[in-house]
Amino acid sequence: MQKIKVVLVSNDTEYINLFESYLMDNEYNNKLLVEIFHDFNKMNESVKNSNHNILLSELYPTDEELQNMEKVFDRVVLLTENKQGFEEEIFKYQPFDNIVETLLMYYYDNDGRLLESKNERNTSTIAFASGNGGTGKTLLSLMLGKVLSKHSQKVFYLSLEQMLSASSYLESDKPKSSEIFYFLKDNPYRLLSKFHKLKDTDAATGIDFFPVNINFDEIDSLNTLDIENLVKTITSLNEYDFLIIDMDSRLCEINSEILRLSNEIFWILESNETSFMKTKAIMEMDGLQQEIDNKKIHYIVNKFGENLFADNGEYNFNIESKIKFNPEWLNYNEKEKVLEDSEIGSELLKSLSRISLAMEVSDEK
């Protein structure tokens, strides 16, 4: 179920603590997601690249602030102790149940059905996988993400590799943190409420991501329920068009879970037979061929030379694209490769025929 996303801004610490305690355990948890800020400027910085439903603010916004907030929120509501003459106001000192019910009335009809929001997006999950390391999987996933972002699609990149390499490609103004793993293990609802404080946006590509510390143990401690909760947290926001998951190349339960949860899978191969053999072994050992619709798997050969090895047809992989090796890239760092690319991301996009066609029509307009 989509949750109504509310941002509360107040410098009344006691009131905020009471409201937060109330939200942790009540019947509205499945309908409402509330983020709390003490400072208007910090809130503005956190939400500027995202979409929310309601801003509930005790701090009266200036005309300029109000104009900026209307680009992010469906509606701005003032939390008041007395009438301020604002377009929409809610009295502060009333039972929290009453405040929450008033907020929900904006989005639920009399029969309890969720009304449509202008900010609602249906998130498609795309996994990038490979049978061995060093295939260029991360580079290709971000090249696709950049193309999608350039076409006004909101993209979240999630790295679940044991050795996180996102910092080589994406830049953050926020300090790196491992809080995502704490909240995921402690209380997934808290992760949902802290999401916008934990994520950042790479200015060069427009891709959102978690700036996390590299920590082998924390990635290794994740189980299938953690993965399901993490994916559902991001997709339930209804804020992103695409969630791109950069998977580790290990054969394990959490990777199998990612593949099952994904709408599309890019499986990256190298030109040699070893890469094909490992992929076949993974598919057969984990029973994925029976559980996953083969139509959503897109086999891509990266670093392609002149020819594939002999007898490659015996593996029955429908190769959708062959990305040629570019020797000039040996002189580029990883981020430069993503930014300089003008072809590979678009080539990968062709595998997502429905999405690619829609973008072509949009470009023609």
Side-chain angles (χ1 to χ4, degrees), residues 302-314:
N302 194 27
K303 306 176 185 178
F304 180 66
E306 293 297 323
N307 296 290
L308 286 175
F309 61 91
D311 301 324
N312 66 85
E314 295 181 2

Side-chain angles (χ1 to χ4, degrees), residues 1-7 20 23-24 28-37 46-47 50-53 123 156 179-199 210 226 228-240:
M1 175 184 292
Q2 180 194 358
K3 295 190 178 186
I4 305 305
K5 291 175 285 185
V6 178
V7 170
E20 196 165 26
L23 290 170
M24 291 301 294
Y28 301 112
N29 262 347
N30 65 335
K31 292 184 177 181
L32 203 68
L33 168 64
V34 179
E35 294 182 71
I36 297 175
F37 294 87
S46 180
V47 306
S50 57
N51 292 316
H52 291 71
N53 299 115
T123 306
F156 193 92
E179 285 184 285
I180 173 182
F181 301 107
Y182 168 76
F183 290 124
L184 188 60
K185 291 287 188 180
D186 179 60
N187 187 335
Y189 178 79
R190 291 189 67 198
L191 173 60
L192 197 62
S193 66
K194 301 289 185 181
F195 178 85
H196 292 95
K197 294 180 181 178
L198 295 174
K199 66 95 175 175
F210 290 127
D226 295 329
E228 182 180 0
N229 286 333
L230 182 54
V231 171
K232 285 185 176 180
T233 293
I234 299 172
T235 57
S236 68
L237 290 166
N238 293 95
E239 187 172 316
Y240 294 97

